[in-house]
């Protein structure tokens, strides 16, 4: 074995540098080595990097160990895989000093005083920074509002102003203490960890110390400010999470292991935007892509908000339209990265489009509201009301002149005043395809049996109803075993049938309820499919011969399907409902809210809208009447859907998630039309 000399792992000219970490493998190795150097400091102690099994991973270990001032060597024992061994030098300097003639990479000392802290009870820099952050959090939490801001529902008093000023002063002292710690770490050569960098940046943001936040970030990220006037606005897509990762460094290669995480990058973007330096913010966003730092909504939204903002009374200009287009380019990048903006985020784009008088862009945002959300909060509705009322004045002749009001819907979906009619909004054809694929993908056990069910279903004509038979059979069933014995006239010693009726938890399935439901649905003349697990069919044949004969008849007619042992019958009736040849007319009879279905996790937005339009709930009465008659009452889906609706460009309706009111925006001169 031989120790690699200093600089042996420096990349050749034109080669891709291994630092900073750009993929999952390199980040894991970097974190492990940092942890070893920070908390595992012992002279002569070593760590064997057994997870670095590829030549690429071993090269990363050598490179990062060199940067961290650690000795590194490859153990090539015959008959075994090569393993990189990393350890501290035998002549390592004390924790608080470094030899004057040591290489630059080995002079760099991290906050590795954790082992000393355990002996002397002296907190580390990281612990002291975290303590200050907790203190700042407690200050803002006790205040109950942003520092210095009175509560919105009560008028400000002298005591409120005094308390706000006191909290602001205390927060400033906390931030000053944190900045003093940062300056001490920087001046003594102690690197700031990614976590501490994030805490410091956000501490400065909480006190509106944006310049300080930027200074901390640029130091920790190893960035030197470029010529901002020449920074192109375009940002490349985020790098894939696998090597190799293309990169164009914005600064010379750092000799010290400086790194910042996503939280620090997003905080710096926010600070730059608060300072009005959007070019620097976009440059930081571009660096995130180059370093393969995973972007989030908070990385994009501050920049988009600046582009959408405008001063009151300023008329739209070509430059303002260019800024708006840049904001919508960021929106498209978010969606391409599978980041879905919230209501508040989309409202920023809607407000910007209205301010700059761009009706096509505003309409695109409204369509996103309709596609992604069912009901909207009151704050969002108020913002949309202002945007729809404003867009005509800023783009006269292009945008409709909307009359905006609030209204309540009647039972048939009529909105007063105006007589506008709401409709039942179903999912689109392409969404049916996605739901069908999702329903098939959640079935992972007994796939051969499920394939047989799909073939069986394809041979049948479309069904109008699909019955969740187990849900119907267990409806209203809180009976105990003693109650069932009393109703069946059996003694405790004759409870064999009771045990067969009851499940593990004592619940009882009533097969007469299932037969009553099927007969009630057949009265409508529609085709009904009942899905029932084979264990219930077997139990029914042992305890209810009459109902078992009826089920057998349905099975022969192709109206009942028994799901096999080991399969979930819920998955079968869900698939039957969405995979029908006419799925838009197929209704599911069930009181199950379906909150815990894996199906709900695959396409939650589509699934929620599907449930609202295709679930028939029910009620049953007289379960044990002397004449044996069970009365079934069905509750079909409502006549209209409580979702965002549009009837052309001239009519938009938004339901509230907090009240029963609707926000109605109708173009002046539009004619009321009853929508089927």
């Amino acid at each position: 074995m031989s120790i690699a000399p200093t600089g042996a792992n420096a990349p050749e000219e034109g080669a891709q540098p291994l630092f900073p970490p750009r993929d999952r493998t390199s980040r894991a190795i970097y974190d492990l080595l940092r942890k070893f150097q920070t908390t595992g400091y012992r002279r002569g102690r070593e760590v064997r990097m057994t997870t670095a099994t590829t030549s690429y991973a071993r090269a990363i270990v050598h490179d990062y160990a060199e940067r961290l001032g650690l000795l590194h060597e490859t153990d090539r024992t015959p008959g075994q895989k090569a393993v990189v061994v990393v350890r501290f030098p035998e002549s390592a300097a004390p924790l608080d000093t470094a030899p004057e003639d040591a290489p630059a990479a080995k002079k760099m000392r991290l906050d590795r005083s954790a082992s000393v802290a355990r002996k002397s009870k002296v907190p580390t820099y990281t612990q002291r920074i975290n303590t200050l952050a907790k203190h700042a959090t407690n200050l803002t939490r006790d205040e109950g509002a942003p520092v210095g801001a009175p509560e919105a529902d009560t008028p400000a008093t002298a005591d409120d102003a005094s308390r706000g000023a006191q909290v602001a002063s205390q927060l400033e002292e906390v931030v000053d203490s944190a900045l003093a710690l940062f300056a001490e770490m920087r001046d003594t050569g102690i690197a700031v960890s990614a976590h501490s960098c994030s805490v410091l940046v956000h501490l400065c943001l909480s006190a509106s110390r944006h310049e300080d936040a930027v200074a901390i970030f640029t130091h920790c990220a190893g960035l030197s400010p470029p010529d901002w006037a020449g920074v192109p606005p375009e940002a490349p897509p985020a790098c894939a999470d696998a090597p190799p990762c293309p990169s164009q460094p914005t600064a010379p290669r750092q000799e010290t292991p400086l790194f910042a995480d996503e939280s620090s990058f997003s905080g710096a973007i926010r600070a730059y935007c608060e300072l009005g330096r959007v070019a620097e913010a976009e440059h930081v966003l571009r660096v995130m892509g180059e370093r393969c730092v995973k972007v989030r909504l908070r990385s994009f939204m501050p920049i988009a908000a600046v582009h959408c903002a405008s001063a009151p009374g300023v008329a739209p200009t070509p430059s303002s339209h260019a800024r708006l287009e840049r904001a919508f380019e960021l929106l498209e990048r978010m969606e391409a990265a599978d980041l879905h903006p919230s209501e508040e985020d989309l409202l920023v784009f809607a407000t910007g489009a209205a301010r700059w008088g761009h009706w096509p862009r505003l309409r695109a945002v409204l369509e996103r509201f309709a596609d992604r959300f069912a009901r909207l909060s009151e704050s969002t509705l108020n913002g949309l009301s202002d945007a729809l009322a404003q867009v005509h004045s800023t783009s006269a002749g292009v945008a409709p002149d909307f009359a905006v009001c609030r209204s309540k819907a009647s039972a048939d979906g009529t909105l007063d005043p105006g007589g506008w009619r709401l409709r039942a909004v179903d999912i689109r054809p392409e969404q049916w395809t996605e739901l069908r694929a999702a329903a098939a993908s959640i079935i992972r056990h007994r796939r051969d049996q499920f394939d047989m069910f799909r073939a069986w279903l394809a041979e049948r004509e479309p069904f109008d109803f699909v019955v969740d038979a187990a849900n119907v059979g267990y409806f209203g069933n809180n009976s105990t075993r003693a109650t069932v014995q009393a109703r069946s006239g059996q003694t405790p010693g004759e409870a064999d049938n009771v045990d067969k009726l009851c499940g593990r938890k004592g619940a009882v399935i009533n097969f007469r309820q299932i037969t009553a439901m099927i007969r009630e649905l057949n009265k409508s003349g529609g085709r009904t499919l009942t899905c029932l697990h084979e264990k219930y069919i077997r139990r029914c044949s042992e305890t209810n011969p009459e109902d078992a004969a009826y089920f057998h008849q349905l099975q022969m007619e192709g109206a009942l399907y028994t799901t096999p042992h080991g399969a979930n019958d819920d998955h079968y009736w869900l698939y039957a409902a969405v995979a029908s040849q006419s799925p838009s007319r197929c209704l599911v009879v069930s009181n199950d809210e379906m909150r815990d279905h894996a199906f709900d996790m695959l396409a939650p937005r589509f699934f929620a809208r599907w449930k609202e339009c295709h679930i028939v709930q029910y009620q049953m009465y007289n379960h044990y009447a002397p004449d044996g008659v069970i009365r079934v009452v069905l509750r079909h889906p409502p006549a209209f859907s409580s979702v965002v609706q549009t009837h052309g460009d001239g009519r938009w309706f938004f339901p509230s998630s907090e009240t029963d009111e609707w926000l109605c925006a109708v173009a002046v001169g539009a004619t009321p039309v009853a929508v089927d």
Side-chain angles (χ1 to χ4, degrees):
M1 297 190 299
S2 60
I3 299 177
T6 302
N9 293 298
E12 299 177 359
E13 184 177 358
Q16 178 64 39
L18 299 176
F19 187 86
R22 294 180 176 84
D23 55 75
R24 189 174 303 169
T25 300
S26 58
R27 284 195 293 268
I29 293 174
Y30 185 80
D31 292 340
L32 180 59
L33 291 177
R34 284 286 299 271
K35 182 177 180 181
F36 170 66
Q37 186 194 43
T38 305
T39 63
Y41 183 83
R42 296 289 189 277
R43 293 188 181 182
R45 184 175 177 180
E46 65 181 27
V47 58
R48 299 177 65 84
M49 305 294 292
T50 56
T51 57
T53 57
T54 64
S55 58
Y56 169 73
R58 290 193 293 271
I60 290 176
V61 173
H62 286 298
D63 185 274
Y64 293 179
E66 184 72 24
R67 292 174 178 275
L68 295 172
L70 302 172
L71 297 179
H72 47 97
E73 56 189 1
T74 302
D75 183 1
R76 302 185 182 276
T77 304
Q80 299 181 5
K81 291 185 177 180
V83 178
V84 180
V85 181
V86 179
R87 67 172 185 268
F88 286 97
E90 294 296 336
S91 57
L95 290 177
D96 296 330
T97 61
E100 293 298 329
D101 56 346
K106 296 184 180 180
K107 283 185 178 181
M108 189 64 198
R109 294 184 296 107
L110 303 177
D111 181 17
R112 57 192 184 207
S113 54
S115 59
V116 175
R118 286 193 294 268
K119 299 178 181 179
S120 61
K121 305 301 181 182
V122 177
T124 64
Y125 283 106
T126 300
Q127 292 171 341
R128 293 160 68 184
I129 292 173
N130 289 340
T131 300
L132 291 173
K134 292 179 181 178
H135 184 38
T137 301
N138 293 334
L139 286 174
T140 55
R141 182 187 296 117
D142 294 341
E143 179 66 10
V147 177
E151 295 185 7
D153 297 336
T154 58
T157 64
D159 292 339
D160 293 332
S162 175
R163 184 170 60 253
Q166 182 180 5
V167 171
S169 176
Q170 293 176 353
L171 186 60
E172 287 287 340
E173 294 178 1
V174 171
V175 175
D176 288 338
S177 300
L179 291 175
L181 288 176
F182 167 73
E184 183 178 343
M185 297 175 71
R186 179 191 58 197
D187 296 341
T188 57
I190 298 177
V192 183
S193 66
H195 169 74
S196 296
C197 173
S198 174
V199 172
L200 290 169
V201 167
H202 287 277
L203 261 179
C204 294
L205 290 175
S206 66
S208 301
R209 304 274 287 270
H210 303 116
E211 291 287 358
D212 293 328
V214 167
I216 293 172
F217 168 75
T218 53
H219 171 80
C220 296
L223 295 178
S224 55
D227 180 8
W228 298 116
V231 174
E234 295 78 9
C239 299
D241 198 15
C245 182
S247 173
Q248 296 295 331
T250 58
R253 179 177 177 177
Q254 300 291 326
E255 292 299 331
T256 54
L258 303 177
F259 190 67
D261 57 10
E262 178 274 331
S263 179
S264 301
F265 274 93
S266 298
I269 291 174
R270 176 182 161 193
Y272 278 125
C273 290
E274 292 289 344
L275 293 170
R277 295 154 60 180
V278 67
E280 287 94 326
E282 296 207 23
H283 176 73
V284 173
L285 184 64
R286 179 167 63 86
V287 173
M288 292 183 71
E290 294 173 352
R291 295 192 178 183
C292 293
V293 179
K294 185 176 179 63
V295 293
R296 298 174 61 181
L297 284 174
R298 62 183 181 183
S299 311
F300 288 100
M301 284 309 301
I303 303 176
V306 172
H307 286 306
C308 290
S310 65
V314 177
T317 62
S319 61
S320 64
H321 283 287
R323 290 177 55 189
L324 184 66
E325 291 300 320
R326 177 58 183 155
F328 276 84
E329 289 177 9
L330 294 174
L331 176 59
E332 293 171 358
R333 286 183 56 196
M334 294 182 217
E335 296 171 339
D338 200 24
L339 299 174
H340 303 291
S342 63
E343 289 183 34
E344 294 77 9
D345 296 334
L346 285 180
L347 183 60
V348 171
F349 294 94
T351 304
R355 285 173 176 172
W356 296 124
H358 204 303
W359 166 240
R361 287 298 190 185
L362 176 57
R363 181 177 57 200
V365 177
L366 297 180
E367 291 171 353
R368 285 178 168 88
F369 274 112
D371 183 57
R372 298 175 185 176
F373 304 102
R375 301 173 180 85
L376 304 178
S377 64
E378 282 294 315
S379 59
T380 302
L381 292 180
N382 293 333
L384 288 178
S385 177
D386 296 338
L388 289 167
Q390 181 184 15
V391 67
H392 177 74
S393 60
T394 53
S395 60
V398 179
D401 185 7
F402 285 104
V404 183
C405 65
R406 293 292 188 103
S407 178
K408 293 185 178 181
S410 61
D412 62 351
T414 302
L415 292 168
D416 294 323
W420 300 104
R421 186 79 173 273
L422 299 173
R423 61 183 178 180
V425 180
D426 208 340
I427 60 178
R428 298 191 299 269
E430 62 271 17
Q431 295 171 343
W432 276 113
T433 303
E434 183 175 343
L435 280 180
R436 190 176 297 113
S441 65
I442 64 175
I443 301 177
R444 300 180 178 88
H445 304 289
R446 304 297 299 272
R447 288 289 304 187
D448 55 337
Q449 297 288 342
F450 176 68
D451 292 337
M452 293 174 58
F453 171 67
R454 296 175 66 178
W456 179 90
L457 194 65
E459 297 173 356
R460 267 65 184 174
E461 296 182 6
F463 291 97
D464 300 290
F465 299 98
V466 176
V467 181
D468 179 6
N471 181 267
V472 174
Y474 281 111
F475 172 78
N477 212 334
N478 297 321
S479 303
T480 63
R481 292 176 181 267
T483 305
V484 176
Q485 289 173 1
R487 288 171 176 169
S488 61
Q490 295 178 336
T491 63
E494 299 173 343
D496 292 341
N497 286 345
V498 175
D499 292 336
K500 293 174 181 178
L501 285 170
C502 296
R504 297 178 181 177
K505 299 181 180 180
V508 182
I509 185 169
N510 191 329
F511 296 106
R512 290 175 53 219
Q513 293 179 186
I514 301 176
T515 58
M517 176 63 73
I518 297 173
R519 290 190 172 99
E520 180 67 25
L521 295 173
N522 288 339
K523 293 179 182 179
S524 65
R527 288 175 49 80
T528 303
L529 171 64
T530 303
C531 293
L532 191 61
H533 200 279
E534 64 177 5
K535 66 180 179 182
Y536 298 124
I537 297 293
R538 183 173 61 255
R539 189 181 305 174
C540 182
S541 64
E542 297 173 354
T543 59
N544 301 75
E546 183 180 348
D547 293 331
Y550 182 67
F551 290 150
H552 179 70
Q553 177 186 350
L554 293 177
Q555 195 169 13
M556 297 300 294
E557 295 173 356
L560 183 144
Y561 192 88
T562 58
T563 57
H565 178 72
N568 189 335
D569 54 344
D570 288 353
H571 296 169
Y572 278 70
W573 60 255
L574 275 172
Y575 180 81
V578 301
S580 173
Q581 297 179 20
S582 299
S584 59
R585 77 175 191 182
C586 185
L587 300 175
V588 173
V589 180
S590 178
N591 283 344
D592 191 347
E593 294 294 338
M594 308 178 206
R595 295 191 183 98
D596 58 344
H597 283 42
F599 191 73
D600 194 10
M601 302 301 295
L602 294 173
R605 291 185 291 110
F606 303 157
F607 191 51
R609 184 166 296 182
W610 174 83
K611 287 194 299 182
E612 188 172 23
C613 296
H614 293 271
I615 297 297
V616 177
Q617 295 182 326
Y618 60 88
Q619 183 65 262
M620 288 185 172
Y621 303 96
N622 301 325
H623 300 75
Y624 295 95
D627 57 0
V629 176
I630 297 178
R631 179 168 167 246
V632 179
V633 178
L634 300 176
R635 293 196 298 270
H636 286 265
F640 63 94
S641 300
S642 296
V643 297
V644 179
Q645 300 190 23
T646 173
H647 305 161
D649 281 349
R651 299 183 297 276
W652 291 85
F653 306 103
F654 306 89
S656 172
S657 60
E658 303 173 20
T659 67
D660 58 351
E661 290 186 335
W662 289 68
L663 173 66
C664 308
V666 180
V668 175
T671 304
V673 177
V675 180
D676 296 332

